[in-house]
Amino acid sequence: SLGRKLFYDPILSKDSTISCGTCHKQAAAFSDAPLALSRGIGGLTGTRNAPALQNLIWNTSFMWDGGVNHLEVQPISPITNHVEMDETMASVIRKLHRSSTYRESFSTAFGDTVISSERMLKALAQFIGLMISANSRYDHFVNHKGTFTTQEEKGLQLFRDKCANCHHEPLFTDNRYRNNGLVPDSALHDKGRATITGLQFDEYKFRVPSLRNITLTPPYMHDGRFNTLNEVLGHYANPKKFAPNTAKEMYEIGRLSSADKQAIIAFLHTLTDSSFITDKRFSNPD
């Protein structure tokens, strides 16, 4: 409950205008759809598309570039980022200390009124870790509790043949980083994983995102360059336009007919978890 309150409270930002929930909206599977690049404090625009938040307790690292290694420290990045919340952890704790409501909430959660960054981050991690999406039509189908249309079944088989090398079931990610063939955006100058490792080998590699609730989170890719899933599949089906050093898995996708694309998209719709995006446990408590 404390983590939920903190997630939706703009007190975490420097001027109390931006909360975690500002860029991670429940109706959009906690992504920032339909924005390609999220906006932070003072209307500043970031350089990446805000990813959906779901099933994060199975992540081995976080952010598009893997720059964070644990869920309990992940919020430090947006809180202290000058474009996002532009705050310091020390200042956040001082503001929480001044609030009688928070002193009471921390006491209820931890048994005393001590407010620390460790406790604040632990509470946020407890809340975000509860965001488990596992009740889609796909989940019903694989658990023999539901059926697919003929097109959806065809899409599932195509997905397993063409896409599952990177998007492993049931999380629909393998928690790895790859260059997926996108020509770098010269305006953003984002080198992805190499920003963290400093290795040329990692240039333009980005996290393989989960595809759960994918129809709710357009636009797509780390920079939000594609507005539709058809555009995404068109990219993967056209290796002639891949950038240098594209991962070999991308070349294994091969040709996709128009019917193939529509079948895969029909299957991807079955990954939408309506109960997740309407679960009151994750909604704004105010």
Side-chain angles (χ1 to χ4, degrees), residues 137 141 146-156 263 266-267 270:
R137 286 186 56 231
F141 179 78
T147 60
F148 274 0
T149 67
T150 300
Q151 187 185 43
E152 288 165 349
E153 285 205 55
K154 178 185 177 183
L156 172 57
F267 164 67
T270 73

Side-chain angles (χ1 to χ4, degrees), residues 53-109:
L53 304 182
Q54 55 197 355
N55 303 333
L56 296 184
I57 55 173
W58 289 285
N59 273 27
T60 53
S61 57
F62 301 86
M63 316 294 278
W64 279 106
D65 54 22
V68 177
N69 64 6
H70 198 286
L71 185 59
E72 286 191 13
V73 297
Q74 192 283 328
I76 296 173
S77 179
I79 289 172
T80 60
N81 185 290
H82 296 309
V83 175
E84 296 183 55
M85 294 179 169
D86 194 28
E87 187 55 290
T88 67
M89 294 299 294
S91 177
V92 170
I93 298 306
R94 284 195 295 271
K95 287 188 285 185
L96 296 177
H97 267 294
R98 289 196 292 266
S99 166
S100 60
T101 300
Y102 271 115
R103 290 197 299 272
E104 181 178 346
S105 295
F106 272 82
S107 179
T108 300

Side-chain angles (χ1 to χ4, degrees), residues 215-234:
T215 60
L216 303 176
T217 64
Y220 304 107
M221 304 300 180
H222 67 277
D223 55 8
R225 69 176 64 191
F226 295 137
N227 291 315
T228 68
L229 291 171
N230 196 57
E231 288 179 80
V232 172
L233 292 174

Side-chain angles (χ1 to χ4, degrees), residues 29-286:
F30 296 97
S31 74
D32 203 11
L35 292 181
L37 303 175
S38 292
R39 299 189 183 103
I41 197 166
L44 295 175
T45 300
T47 59
R48 292 176 179 168
N49 181 262
L53 304 182
Q54 55 197 355
N55 303 333
L56 296 184
I57 55 173
W58 289 285
N59 273 27
T60 53
S61 57
F62 301 86
M63 316 294 278
W64 279 106
D65 54 22
V68 177
N69 64 6
H70 198 286
L71 185 59
E72 286 191 13
V73 297
Q74 192 283 328
I76 296 173
S77 179
I79 289 172
T80 60
N81 185 290
H82 296 309
V83 175
E84 296 183 55
M85 294 179 169
D86 194 28
E87 187 55 290
T88 67
M89 294 299 294
S91 177
V92 170
I93 298 306
R94 284 195 295 271
K95 287 188 285 185
L96 296 177
H97 267 294
R98 289 196 292 266
S99 166
S100 60
T101 300
Y102 271 115
R103 290 197 299 272
E104 181 178 346
S105 295
F106 272 82
S107 179
T108 300
F110 294 103
D112 58 56
T113 58
V114 174
I115 298 176
S116 65
S117 58
E118 179 184 8
R119 285 181 167 185
M120 184 195 82
L121 294 168
K122 188 178 291 293
L124 278 167
Q126 289 291 303
F127 173 65
I128 297 169
L130 283 177
M131 293 178 179
I132 296 173
S133 179
N135 193 35
S136 65
R137 286 186 56 231
Y138 160 83
D139 296 296
H140 296 173
F141 179 78
V142 296
N143 286 297
H144 309 292
K145 296 179 180 179
T147 60
F148 274 0
T149 67
T150 300
Q151 187 185 43
E152 288 165 349
E153 285 205 55
K154 178 185 177 183
L156 172 57
Q157 291 306 314
L158 283 166
F159 179 88
R160 287 173 171 169
D161 291 342
K162 305 283 189 178
C163 313
N165 277 343
C166 302
H167 297 285
H168 296 180
E169 298 171 68
L171 296 175
F172 291 90
T173 178
D174 61 0
N175 284 321
R176 297 177 64 187
Y177 303 85
R178 289 184 178 83
N179 181 330
N180 66 346
L182 295 175
V183 175
D185 187 321
S186 59
L188 297 177
H189 305 291
D190 191 344
K191 293 191 176 183
R193 182 71 174 147
T195 305
I196 303 302
T197 67
L199 300 175
Q200 187 175 1
F201 172 78
D202 285 329
E203 287 186 358
Y204 309 113
K205 289 183 179 180
F206 294 89
R207 166 178 290 285
V208 175
S210 171
L211 300 184
R212 282 185 174 271
N213 295 302
I214 191 69
T215 60
L216 303 176
T217 64
Y220 304 107
M221 304 300 180
H222 67 277
D223 55 8
R225 69 176 64 191
F226 295 137
N227 291 315
T228 68
L229 291 171
N230 196 57
E231 288 179 80
V232 172
L233 292 174
H235 163 71
Y236 288 128
N238 190 7
K240 291 182 180 179
K241 292 188 177 181
F242 285 170
N245 302 318
T246 297
K248 63 180 179 59
E249 291 90 346
M250 305 303 120
Y251 292 97
E252 295 169 359
I253 294 173
R255 181 177 177 275
L256 292 171
S257 68
S258 178
D260 290 341
K261 294 175 188 175
Q262 293 313 304
I264 292 173
I265 291 171
F267 164 67
L268 292 176
H269 274 271
T270 73
L271 299 180
T272 299
D273 182 350
S274 298
S275 64
F276 176 65
I277 62 171
T278 56
D279 192 327
K280 291 184 178 180
R281 293 178 302 163
F282 308 139
S283 65
N284 192 330
D286 292 336

